[in-house]
Amino acid sequence: MLSIYPVAVELLRELRPAIARIETSDRDLARQMRRAAASVLLNLAEGSGSFGGTGRERFRSSLGSLRETDACLDVAVALGYLNEDERRVSTPKLGRVAAALVKLAR
């Protein structure tokens, strides 16, 4: 397994409170964020077991899902479901996972 995988798992754990909080105001956004965040891990795992172009496509999908997860956090802040401090909790790990996925997707 890739060394970034455990970091992505920790990121998902860190996102749980934010998803739960969003869910109290917007179930659809919470569901979308939960699916996108899970997709990051699932595509990362699938890509690590693939070769060549197939693996690269899974890493690109994972990166897209990570960006969607990040956008869900932005939407939640913009709509008042989360405050800026709650949003910032996961920012360092988001950046770390994104940087690894950009490299893997090349």
Side-chain angles (χ1 to χ4, degrees), residues 22-35 68 72 81:
I22 292 166
E23 194 162 29
T24 64
S25 300
D26 190 332
R27 291 179 67 170
D28 290 334
L29 182 61
R31 185 179 324 117
Q32 185 167 355
M33 184 173 166
R34 188 179 297 110
R35 290 174 56 107
E68 182 179 1
C72 287
Y81 306 151

Side-chain angles (χ1 to χ4, degrees), residues 2 7 19 33 44-45 48 60 63-64 78 89 94 96 100 106:
L2 297 168
V7 179
I19 293 170
M33 184 173 166
L44 186 57
S48 69
R60 287 178 183 152
L63 180 59
V89 166
L94 267 164
R96 190 168 164 202
R106 289 186 181 153

Side-chain angles (χ1 to χ4, degrees), residues 35-72:
R35 290 174 56 107
S39 182
V40 172
L41 286 176
L42 297 173
N43 279 297
L44 186 57
E46 189 175 351
S48 69
S50 301
F51 300 97
T54 304
R56 227 177 355 267
E57 285 305 313
R58 295 299 78 73
F59 297 138
R60 287 178 183 152
S61 293
S62 185
L63 180 59
S65 293
L66 184 70
R67 289 179 175 153
E68 182 179 1
T69 301
D70 196 33
C72 287

